[in-house]
């Protein structure tokens, strides 16, 4: 088994087919989308492939080390992931093909009008430890 990050984007990937922003969806469309996500996650829990997943709020802060006792906090001018990342899911699957298959299913989440979003899902494998790494 290998872990993969399925990364959902607000923007930064090629535009989704049904790219109406969620803040313009009806309450029913939001409910349908959230139910799809819960059902999708539930299937992966049953198959043993689900590790974790979360939607993330658009608010965020950049922090970095800038000397002892001085972590600067800024809202730019860096590429802001709070404008890019909508949420993520970690899966533990047998192959990269399975990770891609699941990402394709996740891309079909309903959006405006109840139609699939066809959003791009970034699939990123977790780094494996080198064989000589002692835990």
């Amino acid at each position: 088994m290998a872990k993969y990050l399925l990364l959902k984007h607000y923007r930064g990937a090629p535009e989704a087919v049904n790219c109406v922003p969620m803040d313009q969806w009806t309450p029913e469309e939001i409910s349908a989308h959230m139910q799809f996500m819960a059902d999708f996650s539930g299937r992966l829990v049953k198959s043993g492939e689900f590790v974790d997943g979360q939607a993330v709020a658009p608010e965020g802060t950049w922090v970095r080390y800038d000397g002892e006792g001085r972590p600067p906090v800024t809202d730019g001018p860096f590429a802001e992931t709070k404008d890019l990342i909508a949420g993520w899911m970690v899966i533990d699957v047998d192959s990269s093909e399975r990770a891609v298959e699941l990402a394709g299913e996740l891309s079909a989440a309903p959006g405006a009008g109840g139609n699939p979003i066809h959003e791009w899902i970034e699939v990123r494998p977790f780094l494996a430890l080198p064989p000589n790494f002692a835990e």
Side-chain angles (χ1 to χ4, degrees):
M1 301 286 277
K3 289 190 175 99
Y4 288 84
L5 175 66
L6 304 182
L7 196 55
K8 296 172 63 65
H9 292 271
Y10 285 120
R11 64 175 196 223
E15 191 168 290
V17 173
N18 184 5
C19 62
V20 177
M22 188 181 262
D23 63 1
Q24 296 175 24
W25 297 0
T26 67
E28 295 79 16
E29 292 166 342
I30 293 171
S31 291
H33 180 83
M34 299 308 290
Q35 187 63 55
F36 175 96
M37 297 302 294
D39 293 345
F40 183 82
S41 298
R43 280 193 0 252
L44 296 183
V45 166
K46 286 181 183 172
S47 70
E49 296 172 307
F50 184 81
V51 176
D52 195 10
Q54 300 292 323
V56 293
E59 301 83 28
T61 303
W62 281 85
V63 177
R64 73 158 196 234
Y65 176 79
D66 198 31
E68 196 61 40
R70 302 181 326 202
V73 176
T74 182
D75 195 34
F78 311 105
E80 299 282 359
T81 55
K82 67 184 177 187
D83 295 335
L84 301 175
I85 300 171
W88 51 269
M89 183 176 289
V90 176
I91 57 174
D92 196 356
V93 295
D94 289 327
S95 66
S96 61
E97 292 80 13
R98 178 66 174 152
V100 168
E101 176 187 351
L102 291 173
E105 290 180 35
L106 187 57
S107 173
N115 299 315
I117 298 172
H118 298 272
E119 70 180 326
W120 290 89
I121 306 293
E122 185 177 353
V123 179
R124 298 194 56 189
F126 280 37
L127 288 174
L129 295 175
N132 61 351
F133 185 83
E135 291 188 33

